[in-house]
Amino acid sequence: MKALLLIDIQNDFIPGGTLAVPGGDAIVPLVNALQSRFELVVATQDWHPAGHGSFASSHPGQQPFQQIDLHGLPQTLWPDHCVQATPGAEFHPALDQHRIEAIFRKGTDPTIDSYSGFFDNGHRKATGLTEYLRGRGVTDVYLAGLAADYCVYFSAKDALEQGFQVFFIEDATRAIAAEGYAQAREELLAHGAQFVQAADVR
C-alpha cells in the first residue's frame, strides 16, 4: 500500500510566517488534489514548546541561522516558529485536512530538534510513524510539504532507512535554499529515492 506523507504544511513555514519557505503556499492546491489518489494520508506537525533549544532567542547573543552545538549535536538556530498552540503552528487554512488520518507531532523535546517525521535529529526517540505505517501495510511513501531541504529531506532519508520505497513529489515541495536542496536531492537519489511530479502520481 502507498501512503501520502504531508510534512509541516504550517502557517509559520508559509510566506508571512516567522520561518517562511519561499513559495510555500503554492504547494497547497497540489497537495489537496493529491490526497484523493491515496488510501492513507498522514501529516507531521512541528510542535515546539516555547523556549525550544533550536530557537536563536533561547541563546543570548546568537542570531538566527548561526550554527551551535546543542547537547552534542550540530544545530542551526532558527527564528521562533511553530510554538505549541499558537497560530503559526496551525496547518495552513487552505490545506484540506478531511483525509488526514493521523498527525505526528515532532520537536516537542526542548533539548533536541526534530526535522524528520520519524525521529529526532539524534535518532534518540522515535515518533511512532514507522510502526504506524507498517501496521497499515504501507510499503511506498510519497512525500510532499515543507521544507524540501530540511524536514521533507530528513523524513525521506529516514523512510529509506526504515525500508520504505520513497517517492519525493518534487513540485509539491519547496526549499529554503536551492543549493541545500540540490545536495539533499543528490543524496536521496544515491540511496534509492525516486523523484516524481504530482501529475505522475496515480
Side-chain angles (χ1 to χ4, degrees):
M1 189 170 100
K2 63 182 184 179
L4 177 63
L5 185 53
L6 305 179
I7 306 294
D8 300 357
I9 305 176
Q10 296 168 255
N11 289 329
D12 272 342
F13 298 128
I14 300 293
T18 60
L19 187 50
V21 179
D25 51 344
I27 71 168
V28 176
L30 267 182
V31 166
N32 288 343
L34 279 164
Q35 293 186 48
S36 64
R37 303 175 206 171
F38 290 84
E39 290 180 58
L40 179 64
V41 180
V42 176
T44 68
Q45 187 176 24
D46 230 17
W47 195 249
H48 295 305
H52 194 274
S54 68
F55 296 166
S57 63
S58 299
H59 304 273
Q62 301 283 357
Q63 298 298 316
F65 309 108
Q66 289 184 317
Q67 302 287 322
I68 66 163
D69 180 283
L70 183 64
H71 304 291
L73 291 173
Q75 177 66 52
T76 300
L77 293 178
W78 305 107
D80 290 23
H81 64 280
C82 298
V83 175
Q84 295 174 7
T86 65
E90 294 174 3
F91 290 117
H92 188 280
L95 177 66
D96 183 358
Q97 299 181 45
H98 292 96
R99 299 197 70 249
I100 296 173
E101 292 196 23
I103 297 167
F104 289 82
R105 287 175 168 170
K106 59 193 184 66
T108 58
D109 183 336
T111 66
I112 189 167
D113 213 353
S114 186
Y115 299 150
S116 167
F118 291 87
F119 297 95
D120 63 54
N121 287 3
H123 278 218
R124 296 168 184 171
K125 295 178 184 175
T127 65
L129 178 55
T130 299
E131 291 74 16
Y132 179 84
L133 294 175
R134 286 180 180 155
R136 294 297 304 273
V138 171
T139 54
D140 297 357
V141 173
Y142 288 71
L143 295 105
L146 303 168
D149 47 342
Y150 281 93
C151 296
V152 186
Y153 158 63
F154 280 98
S155 296
K157 184 177 177 183
D158 280 345
L160 286 166
E161 290 175 357
Q162 294 301 301
F164 296 103
Q165 291 283 341
V166 170
F167 299 84
F168 198 109
I169 309 174
E170 200 158 24
D171 54 341
T173 66
R174 291 293 185 276
I176 292 174
E179 181 179 324
Y181 175 62
Q183 293 174 349
R185 191 181 193 279
E186 187 175 321
E187 182 178 341
L188 290 174
L189 282 169
H191 286 87
Q194 297 180 52
F195 283 73
V196 297
Q197 300 299 306
D200 300 327
V201 177
R202 295 286 181 263

